[in-house]
Amino acid sequence: MKMSRKISEVSLSAEKLLSDLEDVSKRFSEVVDGRSKEAIKLIRQTSVVLINVLKSKLMFIDKTVKKQLISKHDDRILLRKKYNEAKGFLYTFLTWKNKNVKELALCTLMSLVHTQADYPFHPAENKTHFPVQFFQDIIHELLKKEVDTKILTNRFKEFTEFDDVKFHLLKALNLIIKQNRTKSEENPNFTENFFYLLEHVKLKTEDEDAKDDEDAEDDSSQTFCKSELPFKMDYEVTKKLFNSTWIEFLKLQITPCIYKRILVMLHDQVFPHLQNPLLLTDFLIDSYNTGGVVSLLSLTSLFFLIQNYNLEYPDFYKKFYSLFTPDIFHAKYRARFFYLADLFLSSTYLPEYLLAAFVKKLSRLALTASPNIISVIIPFIKNILIRHKNAEKMINQPSDVELESDPFLMDEADPAKCRAIDSSLWELKTLQSHYIPQISNAAKMINRNLPQMESDISDKYENTITDVKMFDKASEVEWAEVALSFEKPEKLFTEKSNKRQYFCL
């Protein structure tokens, strides 16, 4: 009697859930793109219904039960079918134009991932319940759409803080890019969407991970889907996935915007976890030879390989010398450029002609640079002269030369042939007559003995035209009236003024 009552209760519960799912399906067919309020209400209703379906455990099928013995009219099969159909409705909301609708749909899907881990369809192996296939379907949806899903991938970043999501995201990306390499190259948005997800995968080294484990009170706090056995990320396995995914990704056609972002993050987010960073040598050399901002951004990673992996690149300084153009001082990454230039010219083993070439070219560029750039160039040259005593002889060269008689060849691309060592720093002598006192005083440093210690000018690297605008804005502040005469005049001209005859008042 009790057994039949239980079966009856389960049947009624299944019928109620199926009815709710049918209602969701009917309402979805009535929602049109553009009606955001209705869509948000439907997403929330769908979320409640699907979570109730999962918590009912009516879709659970033990692995001991043979599939052949399960009827297609079984409540468990019907519920699964309707459950997956409702999830499909949520996928369509990811393509809506309204930001709130898209983000709510994504968060609802991830909430279902979390709930499905607690109430799985099958008994889990190794006591872990992460719904891998469901999660991979979500990643597929974020990548395959013809619209830009940058908003969604940025929102997805909050979930990558959890180790299990990070690992399974990397696994899904690796699987997708290998299976759809040809198709992905045909989709212009795939590369960008793929990168927006991949850049959120930030790994920690084994030492950092061990330190975090010591600081963490509860291992489960780092996992999104709780299970009987806490998820522990295997660094070596994750590292192999990370390597494979990045190498495959860099084979795709990359847009200029993404190209620059990759170069910015390579040396500190990618290289520490690559098994062999030298595999990216060709990629970095091609980037370095491109010129402009791309060359500048590739400098850090390329120098990292030269310094740490003994990469041989004989033309490194020759190419670096060619980057010294007026345009580089107005680039977005100018501070990085000066920082790297200071680093590359710090070695005491650099030949004299090479140092002279860089000092001379900077001096020449200072003649036509804006004041905020000159304020960086002069102390930068000063530090090089202090660091390398052999370059001081350029100060002692006769400085009363004219531009036409200067042996320095400004347009020569090879620093070994530009004849800077035979020239002088007459440009700094010229800047001593600059209309801004701070610059003229700074240029007079060649008239005195150089100090023994270098100056810290790192704070000046970030000075840009914004500082000038801020100064102009400050000058527009209204001040109190200042007395300009003993008595405040009441009229423009007095009665006795003879200038009144020239005006009709």
Side-chain angles (χ1 to χ4, degrees):
M1 189 69 180
K2 290 183 179 180
M3 180 64 72
S4 62
R5 186 180 300 171
K6 278 189 176 181
I7 294 173
S8 177
E9 289 175 357
V10 169
S11 179
L12 287 172
S13 179
E15 287 180 7
K16 175 66 170 61
L17 293 173
L18 285 169
S19 176
D20 291 342
L21 289 169
E22 284 289 349
D23 184 50
V24 166
S25 178
K26 183 180 178 181
R27 289 195 58 195
F28 176 79
S29 62
E30 299 172 355
V31 175
V32 182
D33 193 350
R35 298 181 180 178
S36 303
K37 291 183 179 179
E38 292 182 14
I40 290 173
K41 189 176 180 180
L42 178 56
I43 292 171
R44 288 173 176 163
Q45 179 190 353
T46 306
S47 174
V48 172
V49 172
L50 294 183
I51 289 176
N52 288 337
V53 171
L54 289 170
K55 289 184 176 180
S56 70
K57 299 182 181 180
L58 294 176
M59 293 187 292
F60 184 86
I61 300 176
D62 198 295
K63 286 189 175 182
T64 57
V65 179
K66 296 182 179 180
K67 292 182 179 180
Q68 295 84 350
L69 300 178
I70 303 176
S71 171
K72 63 180 181 179
H73 300 294
D74 190 293
D75 288 341
R76 293 171 293 184
I77 302 300
L78 292 174
L79 278 172
R80 284 194 182 193
K81 182 180 178 181
K82 290 296 181 181
Y83 174 82
N84 291 327
E85 185 180 316
K87 285 195 305 184
F89 298 155
L90 294 175
Y91 291 144
T92 60
F93 286 119
L94 298 177
T95 63
W96 274 44
K97 296 178 182 178
N98 187 279
K99 177 184 175 183
N100 295 331
V101 173
K102 295 165 70 170
E103 289 189 344
L104 181 60
L106 177 63
C107 293
T108 301
L109 286 166
M110 290 304 296
S111 176
L112 290 173
V113 169
H114 178 81
T115 308
Q116 191 169 315
D118 292 336
Y119 303 95
F121 294 171
H122 299 287
E125 297 179 1
N126 302 324
K127 297 183 180 180
T128 58
H129 303 277
F130 195 95
V132 176
Q133 188 57 53
F134 181 19
F135 181 76
Q136 288 181 356
D137 291 340
I138 296 174
I139 303 303
H140 266 287
E141 293 296 324
L142 293 177
L143 294 175
K144 77 176 185 180
K145 298 303 178 184
E146 294 301 326
V147 295
D148 183 10
T149 55
K150 185 177 180 180
I151 295 174
L152 292 174
T153 50
N154 283 338
R155 184 58 190 266
F156 190 81
K157 180 181 179 181
E158 65 186 67
F159 299 107
T160 59
E161 299 296 325
F162 300 98
D163 288 346
D164 51 348
V165 173
K166 191 184 301 182
F167 174 78
H168 288 288
L169 171 61
L170 198 55
K171 197 172 181 180
L173 291 176
N174 185 264
L175 182 66
I176 292 169
I177 199 169
K178 287 182 176 179
Q179 290 179 345
N180 304 284
R181 186 182 300 135
T182 305
K183 294 181 181 179
S184 62
E185 291 176 353
E186 297 174 357
N187 188 344
N189 290 324
F190 176 87
T191 306
E192 292 189 8
N193 294 336
F194 192 95
F195 173 75
Y196 293 142
L197 284 172
L198 184 58
E199 72 172 337
H200 295 323
V201 181
K202 297 178 181 179
L203 300 185
K204 299 176 183 177
T205 61
E206 288 182 296
D207 294 337
E208 292 173 338
D209 198 29
K211 185 178 180 181
D212 289 344
D213 288 343
E214 292 176 2
D215 297 336
E217 296 179 0
D218 182 11
D219 290 337
S220 62
S221 62
Q222 300 179 18
T223 57
F224 182 68
C225 295
K226 306 300 185 287
S227 59
E228 297 175 33
L229 185 65
F231 178 85
K232 178 65 177 176
M233 183 184 290
D234 189 327
Y235 178 71
E236 289 302 321
V237 175
T238 310
K239 185 177 179 181
K240 289 180 181 179
L241 282 172
F242 188 81
N243 272 260
S244 176
T245 307
W246 267 102
I247 297 298
E248 291 294 330
F249 172 68
L250 292 177
K251 294 177 182 178
L252 302 179
Q253 293 292 330
I254 302 172
T255 59
C257 179
I258 300 300
Y259 199 95
K260 293 174 185 177
R261 292 182 64 172
I262 291 172
L263 292 174
V264 169
M265 62 182 290
L266 265 184
H267 71 284
D268 59 345
Q269 293 187 32
V270 181
F271 275 178
H273 309 289
L274 290 184
Q275 294 172 323
N276 184 14
L278 290 173
L279 291 175
L280 300 184
T281 300
D282 291 339
F283 172 78
L284 290 172
I285 290 179
D286 289 342
S287 303
Y288 193 45
N289 293 332
T290 301
V293 176
V294 174
S295 295
L296 169 60
L297 296 178
S298 63
L299 273 174
T300 308
S301 299
L302 194 57
F303 189 74
F304 177 86
L305 295 181
I306 293 173
Q307 192 175 40
N308 297 283
Y309 290 87
N310 300 319
L311 174 66
E312 294 185 7
Y313 187 39
D315 293 333
F316 178 80
Y317 280 98
K318 181 180 177 180
K319 183 63 183 177
F320 183 55
Y321 180 76
S322 68
L323 294 180
F324 281 69
T325 61
D327 295 337
I328 204 69
F329 297 134
H330 303 286
K332 178 181 178 181
Y333 304 98
R334 190 191 69 200
R336 177 189 289 259
F337 174 75
F338 275 109
Y339 169 77
L340 293 174
D342 184 58
L343 177 65
F344 300 157
L345 298 177
S346 61
S347 174
T348 55
Y349 295 99
L350 295 177
E352 185 178 339
Y353 77 85
L354 187 64
L355 294 167
F358 281 101
V359 170
K360 181 64 179 178
K361 195 162 189 178
L362 277 172
S363 301
R364 184 66 63 85
L365 291 172
L367 292 178
T368 55
S370 57
N372 61 317
I373 302 296
I374 301 175
S375 64
V376 181
I377 291 178
I378 293 178
F380 189 86
I381 292 174
K382 179 183 175 182
N383 282 347
I384 295 178
L385 295 176
I386 294 172
R387 190 182 304 158
H388 305 280
K389 299 298 182 182
N390 293 336
E392 283 190 33
K393 72 176 188 177
M394 297 181 71
I395 300 176
N396 302 323
Q397 297 274 25
S399 58
D400 54 346
V401 296
E402 297 181 358
L403 181 61
E404 293 77 9
S405 60
D406 191 346
F408 174 66
L409 304 175
M410 181 67 175
D411 297 329
E412 175 57 54
D414 190 349
K417 300 177 182 179
C418 68
R419 299 180 59 190
I421 196 68
D422 300 326
S423 182
S424 65
L425 297 180
W426 61 266
E427 294 88 353
L428 295 184
K429 198 78 173 178
T430 303
L431 288 175
Q432 292 178 9
S433 302
H434 200 278
Y435 67 93
I436 295 181
Q438 290 86 346
I439 292 179
S440 60
N441 290 334
K444 290 177 183 178
M445 60 95 177
I446 61 174
N447 299 338
R448 304 181 292 269
N449 292 330
L450 295 176
Q452 298 297 318
M453 299 292 293
E454 297 180 28
S455 303
D456 183 12
I457 59 173
S458 57
D459 58 328
K460 296 185 178 182
Y461 292 164
E462 295 291 348
N463 292 340
T464 61
I465 195 66
T466 307
D467 301 320
V468 180
K469 291 180 179 178
M470 290 175 63
F471 175 79
D472 293 339
K473 190 175 182 180
S475 65
E476 295 174 0
V477 176
E478 295 184 3
W479 301 93
E481 292 185 3
V482 180
L484 300 177
S485 61
F486 183 73
E487 294 181 358
K488 185 176 181 179
E490 297 179 355
K491 299 180 179 180
L492 181 62
F493 300 116
T494 63
E495 296 291 337
K496 297 180 180 180
S497 175
N498 59 358
K499 295 184 177 63
R500 289 171 56 88
Q501 59 181 317
Y502 302 111
F503 298 91
C504 295
L505 302 177

